[in-house]
Amino acid sequence: MNKRKFSKEEISWILYDVANSAFTMILTATIPIYFRSLATASGITEAHATSIWGTTTSGALLILACLSPVLGALADYQNMKKKIFSYFLTLGIISGLVLIFAPNWITFLICIVLTRLGYAACNIFYDAMLIDVTPNERMDYISSMGFAWGYIGSCIPFLAGILLILLTPFGLNTVSATKLSFFITMVWWFVLTIPLLKNVKQTHYLRPKKRVVSHSFRRLGVTFIKLRRNKKLLFYILGYFFYIDGVYTIISMATTYGGEVGIDSTQMILALLVTQVVAFPFSILSAVFSKKFGTMRVLKTYIILYMGICAFGYGLDTALEFWILAFMVGMCQGGIQALSRSQFGRMIPKKESSEYFGFFDIFGKFADFLGPLIISICAFFLHSSKYGVLSLVVLFLIGFCFLCKAEKLIKEENREDF
């Protein structure tokens, strides 16, 4: 089944991962570095810049976490999923373009919050569209291909931006070249989203209601009760909350942490580029592994590998070690995200996919709120983020335990069905 040709809808869905992953690249690499330069130029220390960045990131994601289930519930109605997606796409891209004109680090930070809100909200509906573009048996494969091509495709605008920053052609200086790289990324994001807006249709939906907002809130209460009663889904999403916390924190805080321990900015950016390239084949391999060994078993393996990454990151203090860390992260990050998404997609009611992915997202966003906050607290009080990096091991361990509980219940249910 996996070997058949991609449908037009599947290709369009995969292309959006290529589109928005370009923003993820600059959010991970150049944006934190640029912010740190603005902040330190205003007299803020490196450690406090790390704390401000982490706290603001947490705040932005906390806002979206509170909105996610409501937005998801609204999007489940006929023709609403893509409409709400378009609104947040506009917010993300316009706010990203305004970054170019931000005069100081405070204005820059406000723009980042708005851009990140738009980007993260779009991902709720994008993830939920997976069930509209492909059947259950292809979800691991298509989800993995999205992450794989997203990683490798995002390197194109990122490389263009890095070359501009390093070479400063056309009379540009470093600051103007960095701003031009932001512009290129926003254009890339918009252009490669057009196929999804054109070709992907909402095939699973609820019929419109007269009082759609109040009805959505009532549905949220019912869904929450369903989640409490569905132990396998509850344990799975709780496990996801803890282990994805560590994954997202490592992604969002990598360059900030690297800068704090003294890694050269150019070395960090090139190492992160290697992460993207390594993630391409390993994301595709994750679908192969899941088919051979089972999705839950592969997810648990990734969690164990991430525990090793955290332990390694704790002692990191050289550029070579940062390169090794980047390679290790590249092996794991695409696979664990892709398989988490597809496994959840198979476990939920199709007509309420956006609402359930809204709950899925709230767990993910609260996790992404908690991780950077831990790093920020360690940076502020202990004057080093390495203790925060090490503490992520505990989160991965808790996630592993919940995943084991979910896997056990799934196996028991399958035996009963048989």
Side-chain angles (χ1 to χ4, degrees):
M1 181 68 178
N2 288 350
K3 292 183 179 179
R4 73 171 172 83
K5 291 182 179 180
F6 292 107
S7 68
K8 180 172 63 177
E9 292 79 10
E10 288 172 344
I11 292 172
S12 300
W13 187 86
I14 289 169
L15 274 176
Y16 182 73
D17 219 319
V18 179
N20 74 356
S21 293
F23 175 70
T24 306
M25 280 288 282
I26 64 168
L27 187 63
T28 305
T30 52
I31 283 178
I33 293 170
Y34 185 75
F35 166 77
R36 193 167 64 248
S37 69
L38 289 176
T40 53
S42 300
I44 296 172
T45 65
E46 292 278 357
H48 282 182
T50 300
S51 180
I52 292 169
W53 178 257
T55 304
T56 305
T57 297
S58 298
L61 294 169
L62 182 61
I63 293 169
L64 184 65
C66 296
L67 293 175
S68 294
V70 180
L71 294 172
L74 287 170
D76 279 327
Y77 295 102
Q78 190 174 11
N79 299 324
M80 289 295 289
K81 192 180 293 185
K82 199 158 62 174
K83 185 180 292 185
I84 301 176
F85 171 89
S86 300
Y87 294 151
F88 281 98
L89 177 71
T90 303
L91 173 66
I93 291 175
I94 290 178
S95 300
L97 290 172
V98 175
L99 284 174
I100 300 168
F101 307 103
N104 53 56
W105 68 268
I106 297 175
T107 309
F108 187 82
L109 212 53
I110 293 170
C111 292
I112 283 297
V113 169
L114 294 175
T115 308
R116 189 153 188 176
L117 282 173
Y119 160 80
C122 282
N123 282 346
I124 301 172
F125 313 112
Y126 168 67
D127 288 343
M129 288 177 194
L130 178 62
I131 63 103
D132 295 313
V133 300
T134 198
N136 278 357
E137 60 269 23
R138 280 175 65 84
M139 280 190 186
D140 281 348
Y141 180 62
I142 298 302
S143 183
S144 297
M145 292 300 290
F147 273 104
W149 285 105
Y151 283 126
I152 200 71
S154 63
C155 293
I156 298 171
F158 182 71
L159 273 174
I162 291 302
L163 289 174
L164 285 171
I165 294 168
L166 295 178
L167 302 178
T168 57
F170 317 119
L172 298 170
N173 56 34
T174 302
V175 172
S176 58
T178 303
K179 290 180 177 179
L180 182 56
S181 74
F182 297 161
F183 176 78
I184 291 170
T185 300
M186 293 303 119
V187 172
W188 176 273
W189 183 3
F190 172 72
V191 170
L192 290 184
T193 305
I194 293 173
L196 182 142
L197 295 173
K198 182 180 178 183
N199 298 322
V200 174
K201 308 297 181 185
Q202 187 173 353
T203 58
H204 300 282
Y205 52 81
L206 299 172
R207 293 293 180 184
K209 301 287 182 180
K210 289 184 178 180
R211 296 180 179 87
V212 67
V213 175
S214 61
H215 187 259
S216 297
F217 276 101
R218 287 198 299 271
R219 281 177 47 225
L220 285 175
V222 173
T223 301
F224 186 73
I225 294 171
K226 288 179 182 177
L227 280 173
R228 288 175 56 193
R229 291 175 178 172
N230 188 339
K231 296 298 183 183
K232 65 174 183 180
L233 191 57
L234 180 61
F235 286 143
Y236 177 80
I237 205 169
L238 284 172
Y240 174 79
F241 168 81
F242 284 101
Y243 73 72
I244 211 66
D245 182 354
V247 174
Y248 286 166
T249 303
I250 288 169
I251 292 172
S252 64
M253 300 295 289
T255 53
T256 306
Y257 177 60
E260 183 184 322
V261 298
I263 310 301
D264 177 74
S265 296
T266 303
Q267 290 272 12
M268 284 194 294
I269 290 172
L270 291 176
L272 289 170
L273 187 60
V274 168
T275 302
Q276 302 296 106
V277 175
V278 171
F280 174 68
F282 278 97
S283 295
I284 296 173
L285 281 173
S286 70
V288 178
F289 294 149
S290 70
K291 187 175 181 181
K292 185 173 182 179
F293 302 108
T295 304
M296 296 294 278
R297 184 178 296 179
V298 176
L299 283 173
K300 290 191 297 181
T301 303
Y302 282 132
I303 292 172
I304 292 170
L305 290 172
Y306 262 110
M307 291 183 197
I309 287 170
C310 292
F312 185 83
Y314 171 75
L316 186 150
D317 58 6
T318 68
L320 176 60
E321 289 173 344
F322 193 84
W323 279 78
I324 295 171
L325 184 69
F327 187 89
M328 293 166 65
V329 170
M331 291 174 59
C332 301
Q333 69 178 21
I336 197 169
Q337 292 178 88
L339 297 184
S340 296
R341 176 171 62 188
S342 55
Q343 175 66 31
F344 186 74
R346 283 193 296 270
M347 296 170 71
I348 61 174
K350 298 293 185 289
K351 289 185 178 180
E352 299 170 285
S353 63
S354 294
E355 182 183 350
Y356 273 86
F357 269 106
F359 276 101
F360 188 67
D361 191 77
I362 193 173
F363 278 84
K365 291 299 176 291
F366 269 118
D368 205 3
F369 157 78
L370 179 62
L373 187 60
I374 291 171
I375 301 289
S376 299
I377 290 171
C378 290
F380 186 81
F381 289 104
L382 303 176
H383 308 291
S384 175
S385 301
K386 68 177 185 177
Y387 301 104
V389 172
L390 186 62
S391 69
L392 298 180
V393 172
V394 177
L395 298 176
F396 281 115
L397 182 60
I398 296 172
F400 183 89
C401 293
F402 275 118
L403 217 60
C404 287
K405 287 179 175 291
E407 184 183 32
K408 181 181 178 181
L409 290 173
I410 290 170
K411 286 180 178 178
E412 289 176 355
E413 185 179 274
N414 289 340
R415 280 198 296 268
E416 290 174 2
D417 291 342
F418 180 76

